[in-house]
Amino acid sequence: MAKNQNFNTVAIHAGQEFDPTTGAVIPPVYMTSTYVQDGIGGLRSGYEYSRGGNPTRTSLETLLAALEGGKHGLSFASGLAAEDALLRAVLKPGDHVVLGNDVYGGTHRLIEKVHGAWGVRNTTVEMSDVSAVEAAIIPGETKILWIETPSNPLMKISNIAALADIGHRAGAIVVVDNTFASPALQQPLAHGADVVVHSTTKYLGGHSDVVGGGLVINDDELFEKTKFVQFAAGPVSAPLDAWLTVRGIKTLSVRMERHCTNAQAIAEFLQAHPAVETVYYPGLPSHPGHELAAQQMSGFGGMISLSFKDGAKAARTFCESMHLFQLAESLGGVESLVNYPAEMTHASVRGTDLEVPDNVVRLSVGIEDVADLIADLESALPRS
Ligand SMILES: *Cc1c(COP(=O)(O)O)cnc(C)c1O
């Protein structure tokens, strides 16, 4: 692939060369567990066994790296499987992780409960406050600074470049979970991050039909270590899952454009409604991270949270009263979803300092006609 291609071209062509045998424009799905050897150890194209490598997975891994402007991509069975492989490659018992106080609940659960049981320590911090992060880092002991921006569910924006500086000065690896923005809107490696994490289940797959995860890593040694964990423990993505993800990524740019325009219109509509207390959307000038988001991102994304003046009961009624916005976990698909974080996506962080207020509702704004979406929201909001 030509090195100077732009994002929209890369998203369709990187790692997607036509099949040389038949000329098929779309590379086949390699549904195979193993590969014939030409004599013992005589591998064709390096493939030996599909836990170690599969051409369909390679095509996704090449694409992921190209999307993020990185050197190496790795594709996993889920976003959390990707996170776990990275954590295992980097951390030893006694090591310390600094992460945001409103990261994805499953990320906190993995670091606190699973890696915590093996002696990994963590501190949660207000990641949008650079000096708070500086204070939480223990130089020499903090091995990972884990950033999620925009964060989930309150859409806080963190300054990747400033945090990367702080992390690097303390000897930590700087990781950005780029699931909410997608590489169409934000490319963390260009801002100084070392690793990008994705739940490809969300915007990259884009159609709510596949669970997957990815890592993009520039450093050769860290890549080799993480790839070894992937090979040794086996949390790889299956060929059909990798293929569906590649298929989704081809329309990423056009989907993100519509997600952004729909979400902006909906955020403005909600902000003007008397039942709504706060709208958390970085595209609103009133959002505390608006200016930083405008510098760091090329669009404000499709995720919105809102809180209700009348508390939990109003929030729950709203969630259960819509038709187009379906009540479900997850996000990033073409269809709109509504989620009640306190009892759904963020139930695992109840009672911790990551707890989400119970009057907050999260919307994943899809790419349907925005007038229909607003009509659905209006019908579910209390009449003024
Ligand atoms: C969904 C999600 C994950 C976890 O990914 P899975 O594919 O569900 O394992 C991690 N980070 C963020 C921001 C997510 O939204």
Side-chain angles (χ1 to χ4, degrees):
M1 193 198 44
K3 279 262 180 283
N4 57 356
Q5 287 175 346
N6 294 302
F7 186 86
N8 295 339
T9 309
V10 166
I12 292 168
H13 292 290
Q16 308 306 312
E17 287 75 26
F18 68 87
D19 176 41
T21 314
T22 62
V25 167
I26 301 303
V29 191
Y30 287 87
M31 299 294 278
T32 190
S33 60
T34 190
Y35 306 83
V36 169
Q37 305 190 6
D38 297 318
I40 296 165
L43 305 181
R44 301 185 171 195
S45 327
Y47 295 104
E48 185 175 21
Y49 180 64
S50 281
R51 173 162 32 75
N54 174 285
T56 310
R57 199 164 89 228
T58 304
S59 84
L60 172 56
E61 291 175 335
T62 306
L63 180 55
L64 289 173
L67 291 176
E68 291 289 357
K71 201 164 166 191
H72 305 288
L74 286 171
S75 166
F76 293 85
S78 71
L80 285 173
E83 296 184 9
D84 181 55
L86 177 70
L87 294 167
R88 287 205 246 179
V90 174
L91 301 172
K92 291 190 306 299
D95 286 346
H96 180 245
V97 178
V98 172
L99 69 162
N101 61 11
D102 68 343
V103 293
Y104 177 71
T107 299
H108 179 261
R109 180 176 55 204
L110 175 66
I111 292 172
E112 166 79 15
K113 296 252 161 48
V114 179
H115 289 266
W118 290 91
V120 168
R121 297 168 298 141
N122 75 78
T123 303
T124 55
V125 66
E126 173 57 58
M127 195 58 68
S128 59
D129 177 349
V130 174
S131 49
V133 176
E134 210 158 12
I137 286 182
I138 313 168
E141 293 179 33
T142 302
K143 294 292 160 60
I144 293 183
L145 175 58
W146 192 283
I147 303 167
E148 194 181 313
T149 178
S151 74
N152 177 15
L154 295 182
M155 312 302 151
K156 290 178 193 163
I157 305 296
S158 302
N159 189 327
I160 298 171
L163 293 170
D165 249 22
I166 291 173
H168 289 154
R169 264 188 273 132
I173 287 170
V174 177
V175 179
V176 176
D177 183 335
N178 203 26
T179 300
F180 267 40
S182 94
L185 304 181
Q186 172 173 278
Q187 299 180 319
L189 299 179
H191 296 287
D194 301 300
V195 180
V196 174
V197 174
H198 277 288
S199 170
T200 58
T201 313
K202 316 295 168 53
Y203 286 106
L204 293 176
H207 296 73
S208 307
D209 53 10
V210 60
V211 171
L215 296 175
V216 179
I217 302 174
N218 271 339
D219 183 72
D220 294 335
E221 196 186 324
L222 180 57
F223 166 71
E224 289 302 337
K225 272 191 186 167
T226 312
K227 189 175 166 58
F228 176 76
V229 172
Q230 187 197 44
F231 172 68
V236 295
S237 47
L240 191 57
D241 290 357
W243 187 86
L244 279 168
T245 306
V246 165
R247 179 179 159 122
I249 288 170
K250 290 177 188 182
T251 55
L252 177 67
S253 288
V254 288
R255 284 188 284 108
M256 290 316 295
E257 277 175 30
R258 177 70 73 82
H259 283 299
C260 289
T261 54
N262 280 2
Q264 185 73 36
I266 286 171
E268 287 168 13
F269 162 78
L270 290 171
Q271 197 173 37
H273 197 282
V276 175
E277 182 184 60
T278 308
V279 178
Y280 302 91
Y281 183 66
L284 295 174
S286 58
H287 186 282
H290 176 69
E291 270 170 41
L292 177 57
Q295 291 162 23
Q296 193 167 268
M297 305 171 73
S298 59
F300 300 109
M303 298 301 297
I304 299 174
S305 290
L306 61 147
S307 60
F308 282 83
K309 286 181 188 156
D310 280 347
K313 193 161 178 293
R316 300 178 72 110
T317 304
F318 173 75
C319 289
E320 293 173 350
S321 305
M322 283 184 287
H323 303 285
L324 260 181
F325 281 86
Q326 300 174 93
L327 182 62
E329 303 214 356
S330 200
L331 61 115
V334 292
E335 61 286 298
S336 294
L337 299 177
V338 57
N339 162 55
Y340 184 56
E343 284 187 29
M344 292 170 64
T345 49
H346 291 64
S348 68
V349 293
R350 269 205 129 153
T352 73
D353 63 342
L354 284 80
E355 184 170 291
V356 178
D358 62 6
N359 65 337
V360 168
V361 170
R362 190 187 77 184
L363 302 175
S364 174
V365 176
I367 64 171
E368 299 97 334
D369 191 289
V370 71
D372 294 334
L373 293 176
I374 289 177
D376 195 36
L377 294 164
E378 203 158 24
S379 75
L381 285 163
R383 311 219 175 276
S384 42

